[in-house]
Amino acid sequence: MLTLADYGWSDFFAAAFAPYAAEGFEAGRVFLQHNRALMLYTASGETPAETTGRLRFHARGAEDLPAVGDWVVIRRADGEEKAKVHEILPRRSKFSRRAAGSETAEQIVAANVDTVFLVTGLDNDFNPRRVERYLIMAWESGAEPVVVLNKADLMEEAEGRRAEIERVAPGVPVLLLSAKRGEGVEQLHPYVGRGRTVALMGSSGVGKSTITNRLLGSEVQRTQEVRLADARGKHTTTHRELFVLPGGGLVLDTPGMRELQLLVSERGLREAFEDIEEIAARCRFGDCRHEGEPGCAVREALEEGSLDAARYENYRKMQAEMRHAATLVDQRKAQEEKARVKRIHRAFNRTQKRR
Ligand SMILES: Nc1nc2c(ncn2[C@@H]2O[C@H](COP(=O)(O)OP(=O)(O)OP(=O)(O)O)[C@@H](O)[C@H]2O)c(=O)[nH]1
Ligand SMILES: [Mg+2]
Ligand SMILES: [Zn+2]
């Protein structure tokens, strides 16, 4: 029988859970989520669950609802198949993306991930600019990023590509492997282990599910050839699921993400482009825009080639995007707060009338 520790439980969650334990609640970890339906790992095995109406009522957005990887506070009523989720315990890390069809609505993709494998294929998918973007998301999440260059068997120049990615991912391990052939997969092992959660993220067709199957030691996840005519891939994996590994630890396979769904944020941007931030700190003027001001260290670095022009351009692009998104999010939050207050007033008035 597995214990909560096998599912990633730690002192951090135990401390947050203590007041609920005293009231007889149980803890569970979400391993599957489909709309309101959840599947949880608990001390007594797997159980289906759903959120209480109260939790949904007070939710300000998707952020306040359970996502895969979340630890939740549950109660089981006699004779009911589904446990009721009363609260979500604080998250140690979280991945958000833009919800489909919206420029501002945030969706939590995964919670409480320790290490994220940012997977890129050494085929047509290879794109350092995209890796930079994924790194922003990873740094923002609070999980430790590791870049995984998969399909090394398809490229002669794999080592050169690795060096190229190391330059855009300062301080981040960059691993080269072939999941299909099973070569280099052991480099992932130090990141997995009892109670540790790893997640795989990257575009469709890069081999996330193939890697998941390697870690699981069996063909649990379906994998599929990418159509050459359609560079977007097929999106073989359609939902996120957290698996327990036979040797201990948990792995979260996710559906391929389109680049534009990634949210860029200040913190993530700073960390992913730390090298540029360091150069910019040497500009003569504190508010230097690096557009021809005298004593600009960034211009100088670009001219002498110590700063790669494409990387700098991507940084500027991400920065502009982040500012745009931040404005939209502020507007949305103001609207949501207004709607929430209105909702609470209405509910309050209803109870007053009943009296
Ligand atoms: N040559 C080669 N092919 C690989 C490797 N790893 C995976 N593939 C192939 O790439 C294709 C896509 O792999 P998947 O594991 O389904 O990719 P995915 O990232 O899970 O894709 P989505 O679920 O759509 O996001 C399959 O045909 C795999 O066999 C590898 O190391 N080398
Ligand atoms: Mg997949
Ligand atoms: Zn400057």
Side-chain angles (χ1 to χ4, degrees):
M1 190 81 188
L2 295 178
T3 68
L4 290 184
D6 293 304
Y7 300 121
W9 189 250
S10 64
D11 292 347
F12 174 85
F13 299 113
F17 182 67
Y20 300 104
E23 290 181 49
F25 285 99
E26 269 182 81
R29 189 164 193 201
V30 181
F31 71 87
L32 249 179
Q33 178 243 331
H34 192 260
N35 298 329
R36 283 181 190 184
L38 306 166
M39 282 300 294
L40 314 178
Y41 293 127
T42 72
S44 54
E46 297 176 4
T47 179
E50 62 185 2
T51 49
T52 59
R54 194 186 61 82
L55 189 75
R56 286 196 299 274
F57 181 82
H58 289 284
R60 286 159 207 239
E63 217 186 310
D64 295 334
L65 293 169
V68 172
D70 265 327
W71 280 102
V72 293
V73 174
I74 59 169
R75 195 174 314 266
R76 284 187 244 220
D78 282 341
E80 286 209 3
E81 188 215 357
K82 286 182 183 168
K84 284 262 189 277
V85 174
H86 289 253
E87 293 292 344
I88 304 168
L89 294 181
R91 297 171 174 131
R92 300 210 68 171
S93 66
K94 73 175 167 83
F95 284 86
S96 340
R97 68 164 200 191
R98 219 171 280 165
S102 162
E103 217 175 343
T104 59
E106 196 178 336
Q107 188 190 4
I108 308 275
V109 175
N112 302 318
V113 170
D114 296 303
T115 303
V116 59
F117 296 138
L118 303 171
V119 189
T120 291
L122 286 177
D123 49 10
N124 299 334
D125 181 67
F126 185 80
N127 179 349
R129 305 285 83 81
R130 190 176 312 125
V131 175
E132 283 173 340
R133 200 181 178 106
Y134 274 110
L135 277 164
I136 297 174
M137 179 186 72
W139 284 124
E140 170 65 17
S141 74
E144 285 290 319
V146 170
V147 178
V148 173
L149 303 179
N150 189 32
K151 310 197 186 185
D153 56 285
L154 291 183
M155 192 176 272
E156 299 276 323
E157 262 308 283
E159 267 303 333
R161 293 297 168 115
R162 190 232 293 266
E164 195 178 333
I165 293 299
E166 270 171 350
R167 282 197 295 277
V168 305
V172 177
V174 181
L175 313 178
L176 205 56
L177 53 93
S178 168
K180 197 173 187 171
R181 292 195 184 163
E183 288 163 7
V185 179
E186 69 288 344
Q187 296 172 89
L188 304 177
H189 292 165
Y191 304 99
V192 299
R194 183 170 187 253
R196 293 188 51 83
T197 304
V198 299
L200 291 138
M201 295 193 190
S203 316
S204 183
V206 295
K208 299 179 296 298
S209 298
T210 310
I211 295 170
T212 300
N213 288 340
R214 283 280 171 199
L215 292 173
L216 285 164
S218 59
E219 302 289 308
V220 173
Q221 286 290 74
R222 204 165 69 89
T223 63
Q224 194 174 204
E225 206 81 42
V226 226
R227 261 174 308 170
L228 284 177
D230 179 3
R232 283 175 299 133
K234 276 185 180 170
H235 293 275
T236 307
T237 305
T238 51
H239 64 273
R240 292 175 279 277
E241 182 163 358
L242 189 61
F243 297 96
V244 179
L245 296 171
L250 299 104
V251 62
L252 173 62
D253 190 12
T254 68
M257 243 189 270
R258 258 166 292 130
E259 201 176 327
L260 288 172
Q261 293 173 314
L262 303 185
L263 287 164
V264 284
S265 68
E266 178 106 44
R267 175 179 159 204
L269 194 77
R270 280 244 173 83
E271 296 209 44
F273 293 94
E274 211 177 3
D275 52 336
I276 299 183
E277 301 271 336
E278 266 165 28
I279 297 171
R282 294 200 301 269
C283 291
R284 186 181 302 163
F285 302 110
D287 60 351
C288 186
R289 299 206 317 271
H290 326 306
E291 284 167 0
E293 290 95 330
C296 176
V298 171
R299 283 287 137 207
E300 209 173 281
L302 283 167
E303 270 156 34
E304 69 176 38
S306 57
L307 173 58
D308 179 58
R311 176 165 168 81
Y312 179 64
E313 202 182 298
N314 199 32
Y315 169 72
R316 296 294 288 226
K317 193 176 133 206
M318 297 288 125
Q319 207 172 37
E321 198 179 301
M322 181 202 73
R323 292 200 178 121
H324 175 65
T327 318
L328 292 176
V329 166
D330 284 347
Q331 290 169 355
R332 172 176 62 91
K333 286 213 167 121
Q335 275 168 8
E336 271 173 10
E337 188 55 22
K338 243 197 229 159
R340 197 178 69 92
V341 169
K342 229 192 218 164
R343 212 154 32 120
I344 289 171
H345 274 287
R346 242 186 266 130
F348 179 75
N349 289 339
R350 269 202 304 273
T351 55
Q352 290 294 299
K353 268 187 215 137
R354 261 189 246 132
R355 291 200 171 160

